[in-house]
Amino acid sequence: MQDVLDAFATRLSQRLDEAQAAVERRSADNERAMREREQAHTRVEADLEPIHRELVRPMLEELARRFDNASLAHFKAPRGFLTHCRFAHTARFPATAKLVVTLEWEEEGRRAWLAYELEILPLLLSFNGRDRLEILPMAPDRPAIRGWLERKLLEFVDTYLEVENSAYYQQGSLRTDPVCGIQVSAGTDSLVMEHEGKTYSFCSGLCFAKFAASPGLYTTGKAAVGKEGTP
């Protein structure tokens, strides 16, 4: 009987030793894989960080400088870089907008991409809010990246300027040019005049000048005349 127990104990120890050895091998394999991933991550980050620093950031900063309501923030993600450009609700642009450009790569470092995401609220326009450009991490094509990002940012500007000119967004902020009757956005015009406690907006310098010369003609339908009988 003892011999049987001894043989069982031997086989049991072998099984447990084999299981432990398998655990240690898996642990070693996982550790090796993690080191390889970290090395790949380091290489890809070294290759792509200048793209973000020298191309993406400056272009978005230039965009943000053109709008008084824009704010910019840059972030470092585990596998990439993000830039958020937010546009606050204003009288000129009665909507909030968030533009996110992400330079990102997969965990193994074999693939990377530049992603574009746009959100405008309230959503009263039709536009392409998502797009991305595939990039070779070890050999990024700078001219192609620059050209793609420039097209996307100009596309954003075209879309965002529609907010300024859209009747759907500008409802409630439109004024009528007293000279020609054209609807003018109170948030976009720079040609305004105060007359007898009321603000008037104008579509052009010509209408502004006509009103300035004889405001009563356009507010009451009557114009003051001089001694010679001319207004």
Side-chain angles (χ1 to χ4, degrees):
M1 184 63 181
Q2 187 60 42
D3 293 342
V4 174
L5 289 175
D6 290 343
F8 170 70
T10 299
R11 289 192 292 271
L12 184 58
S13 296
Q14 290 174 342
R15 292 292 179 86
L16 293 174
D17 291 344
E18 290 170 357
Q20 181 60 32
V23 169
E24 293 173 358
R25 285 195 301 273
R26 285 196 298 271
S27 178
D29 290 343
N30 290 339
E31 186 173 332
R32 183 167 54 256
M34 285 302 300
R35 284 203 201 95
E36 291 173 354
R37 287 181 181 179
E38 288 177 358
Q39 291 170 357
H41 172 86
T42 301
R43 288 193 301 270
V44 173
E45 183 173 10
D47 289 331
L48 295 184
E49 188 276 335
I51 299 295
H52 182 258
R53 174 168 42 84
E54 298 170 8
L55 287 181
V56 177
R57 287 185 59 157
M59 292 178 75
L60 282 160
E61 287 165 358
E62 181 63 27
L63 171 67
R65 275 195 290 269
R66 303 305 179 97
F67 294 90
D68 293 338
N69 63 328
S71 61
L72 205 62
H74 305 289
F75 302 94
K76 174 71 171 65
R79 295 192 303 277
F81 304 92
L82 297 87
T83 296
H84 289 197
C85 193
R86 297 178 183 272
F87 297 81
H89 185 289
T90 65
R92 179 185 177 189
F93 297 104
T96 59
K98 182 174 73 171
L99 173 63
V100 181
V101 176
T102 306
L103 181 58
E104 196 172 17
W105 54 89
E106 66 179 6
E107 192 170 10
E108 292 78 9
R110 290 189 291 268
R111 295 172 57 249
W113 53 88
L114 188 62
Y116 165 97
E117 295 181 44
L118 173 62
E119 178 184 82
I120 298 178
L121 296 175
L123 181 58
L124 303 176
L125 293 173
S126 176
F127 58 89
N128 181 14
R130 291 177 179 268
D131 201 358
R132 80 178 197 175
L133 174 70
E134 297 288 334
I135 297 173
L136 292 175
M138 301 306 176
D141 186 339
R142 282 179 173 246
I145 294 169
R146 183 187 301 111
W148 182 87
L149 183 56
E150 179 176 320
R151 287 193 299 274
K152 298 311 297 182
L153 296 184
L154 292 177
E155 180 182 303
F156 161 76
V157 170
D158 290 341
T159 298
Y160 193 52
L161 291 179
E162 288 188 47
V163 173
E164 170 180 53
N165 299 311
S166 169
Y168 295 108
Y169 284 100
Q170 297 295 339
Q171 287 180 3
S173 66
L174 294 177
R175 294 174 181 167
T176 301
D177 184 323
V179 177
C180 66
I182 289 177
Q183 294 287 293
V184 182
S185 170
T188 63
D189 61 86
S190 58
L191 296 171
V192 295
M193 184 185 300
E194 296 287 335
H195 177 69
E196 296 183 347
K198 186 175 179 180
T199 301
Y200 294 91
S201 300
F202 304 91
C203 70
S204 67
L206 180 61
C207 287
F208 182 91
K210 286 184 175 182
F211 186 89
S214 185
L217 180 63
Y218 302 102
T219 58
T220 66
K222 300 176 182 179
V225 295
K227 292 181 180 180
E228 300 298 325
T230 59

